[in-house]
Amino acid sequence: LFRAGRASGEAALADEPGGLSLARFAEERSILRRALPEHLAPLDGLEGRAALVEGITQVSVRSCLRALDPGEVAAIEFDGLEDLVRPDRLEEIRGRLRGLVSLVIREAERLASLFDVFRVLSDEVRALAIEWRGAGVFRAEVELLPEQRLADQLKECLRVPLAVTCERQGGEMVRRVRFLPLDGLGYQDLAEVDVLVSRNGRWMPAAAASPGALLPFWDLRARRGAAGSPESPAAASSPLERLLGGEVEESEADLAVLRSWTTLGATSG
């Protein structure tokens, strides 16, 4: 799994000596993704449904207006809002902002131009900032900001965290965008999580005792067992190249994945 470029060292791309070119990175990533169904198959049976976390990020609510459903809107926490708003008013203001997002989603369905939708959002945020400053909603140090700066700070909180997961569906890999929180797991909860499992309909991080053992062998956080040793991120070749070149001893699980990979036709990653 390629998360932060770990398949060939931390973010080792074209701008770094010995790093991958962007084209090579995309090609190798595509090849390894073809082996993921074979890797996840035993995990699905052992752990329940399994998913590899490809990455997490945050996007402006403007970027995902038409993708958010009512349940996801109701769960948005607006990270950073706690630094602007007094603690005793925080939940109230979160509720008001969720209402604003719902309003803007409806406007996106009604208005022909997204620029008009974004103008509605900006105007509403500015109006709320003025109203809330007069009502003593903001922390004392925040109230001193100029009007436009205060509105900009509030708008910065209108972000939605999401995780991109790779999950097995039949014999293929499916990439899913999952808005956070996911079953109570927020952005910070997933910052260091690589593997999720679903039990009784709820997603949770894999057992903390051995999360590395559940990762694909080419991930630099993976652990090959007592006989193996962690690979150096500074190594010149990727984990896949070292395995194929015989530089490391294969396990039975590795061989099963490689057999699956080499028998697949050229498919898109």
Side-chain angles (χ1 to χ4, degrees), residues 31 34-35 38 255-267:
I31 290 173
R34 287 161 50 191
E38 181 69 21
L255 292 175
V257 174
L258 285 173
R259 281 194 292 269
S260 174
W261 168 56
T262 55
T263 57
L264 289 172
T267 59

Side-chain angles (χ1 to χ4, degrees), residues 79-99:
D79 292 344
L81 190 64
E82 64 277 6
D83 297 327
L84 304 180
V85 174
R86 286 168 37 194
D88 59 308
R89 306 293 296 274
L90 186 56
E91 288 309 312
E92 172 197 347
I93 298 307
R94 278 178 175 153
R96 292 282 301 276
L97 288 179
R98 289 167 187 145

Side-chain angles (χ1 to χ4, degrees), residues 60 64 73 90 93 99 104 123 139 142 152 178 180 205 220 227 243 262:
S60 168
C64 56
V73 172
L90 186 56
I93 298 307
V104 176
D123 291 346
R139 292 176 179 270
V142 176
D152 289 343
R178 295 186 174 276
L180 304 177
L220 290 184
L243 184 63
T262 55

Side-chain angles (χ1 to χ4, degrees), residues 53-209:
V53 180
E54 192 169 45
I56 60 172
T57 188
Q58 295 191 28
V59 297
S60 168
V61 71
R62 303 193 317 173
S63 304
C64 56
L65 278 176
R66 291 175 173 166
L68 290 166
D69 64 35
E72 291 163 341
V73 172
I76 300 176
E77 294 290 327
F78 304 105
D79 292 344
L81 190 64
E82 64 277 6
D83 297 327
L84 304 180
V85 174
R86 286 168 37 194
D88 59 308
R89 306 293 296 274
L90 186 56
E91 288 309 312
E92 172 197 347
I93 298 307
R94 278 178 175 153
R96 292 282 301 276
L97 288 179
R98 289 167 187 145
L100 172 60
V101 173
S102 296
L103 168 67
V104 176
I105 289 175
R106 292 194 296 271
E107 290 295 285
E109 297 172 351
R110 184 180 68 85
L111 298 174
S113 169
L114 278 178
F115 290 106
D116 293 333
V117 176
F118 298 157
R119 187 177 299 112
V120 169
L121 178 62
S122 294
D123 291 346
E124 289 292 327
V125 169
R126 187 183 185 96
L128 287 174
I130 296 172
E131 174 192 339
W132 290 344
R133 176 152 64 179
V137 164
F138 296 111
R139 292 176 179 270
E141 62 274 20
V142 176
E143 285 186 341
L144 300 176
L145 294 173
E147 182 178 290
Q148 185 57 52
R149 178 63 173 162
L150 182 58
D152 289 343
Q153 289 287 310
L154 189 59
K155 190 183 298 184
E156 279 297 309
C157 298
L158 298 182
R159 294 182 174 273
V160 184
L162 60 87
V164 179
T165 63
C166 291
E167 304 167 31
R168 186 169 174 265
Q169 183 172 300
E172 299 181 350
M173 288 306 302
V174 175
R175 176 184 284 153
R176 298 189 187 280
V177 174
R178 295 186 174 276
F179 293 108
L180 304 177
L182 172 64
D183 292 335
L185 299 171
Y187 186 86
Q188 294 299 327
D189 298 314
L190 293 180
E192 297 297 327
V193 172
D194 292 292
V195 183
L196 292 171
V197 293
S198 179
R199 297 193 182 98
N200 300 319
R202 289 185 62 83
W203 289 100
M204 62 187 68

